[in-house]
Amino acid sequence: MDQPSATIFGRILRGEIPCDQVHSDDLCIAFRDVQPQAPVHILVIPRQPLVNLADATAEDALLLGHLLLVAAQVAQQEGLTAWRTVINSGAEAGQTVFHLHVHVIGGRPLQWPPG
Ligand code: AMP
């Protein structure tokens, strides 16, 4: 059995700290980012405590696909017709919480490339 996530997202999953939840199912939850970078900024996280994509294996393929489908679903729930999904993997890429999460960002024009 997986170890529980020691991160702040693990605490959210266990109900130890609150979040502004917009989706929940057997595999994941989605909630609003506490420091939004755009009018819509939602995080989709697996219940399973994967660290990031480097920690994922072929066994996680269905879960990873599910996270992306939920990302699209919550973006559309928010009324977005265009949005960006981001998964930071590793501190140098900007990852600060070491529990896999998909950022869903939208509601304003987004520049490319990101910083
Ligand atoms: P990353 O930098 O890709 O690891 O993203 C982590 C994200 O988690 C950041 O955008 C933070 O603002 C967000 N975050 C951290 N703590 C919380 C929290 N308690 N509730 C919601 N979002 C959070």
Side-chain angles (χ1 to χ4, degrees):
M1 177 155 164
D2 293 311
Q3 295 298 309
S5 172
T7 67
I8 194 153
F9 292 173
R11 298 189 66 198
I12 288 174
L13 282 163
R14 290 191 293 277
E16 294 169 4
I17 57 173
C19 70
D20 187 355
Q21 189 170 289
V22 297
H23 175 91
S24 176
D25 65 37
D26 288 348
L27 295 177
C28 70
I29 65 170
F31 52 90
R32 294 186 197 282
D33 196 295
V34 78
Q35 284 189 295
Q37 302 301 313
V40 176
H41 189 169
I42 290 168
L43 303 171
V44 184
I45 74 169
R47 293 185 182 278
Q48 182 184 328
L50 287 170
V51 173
N52 55 32
L53 283 182
D55 190 34
T57 69
E59 288 184 4
D60 302 311
L62 285 176
L63 173 62
L64 295 174
H66 181 74
L67 297 178
L68 291 179
L69 290 172
V70 169
Q73 183 184 321
V74 298
Q76 290 167 328
Q77 262 172 224
E78 294 292 315
L80 299 178
T81 54
W83 63 88
R84 183 170 294 165
T85 48
V86 173
I87 304 175
N88 294 322
S89 292
E92 285 181 28
Q95 186 175 11
T96 58
V97 178
F98 290 86
H99 181 122
L100 178 70
H101 48 282
V102 182
H103 294 259
V104 179
I105 299 166
R108 66 167 170 83
L110 298 169
Q111 305 304 312
W112 192 262

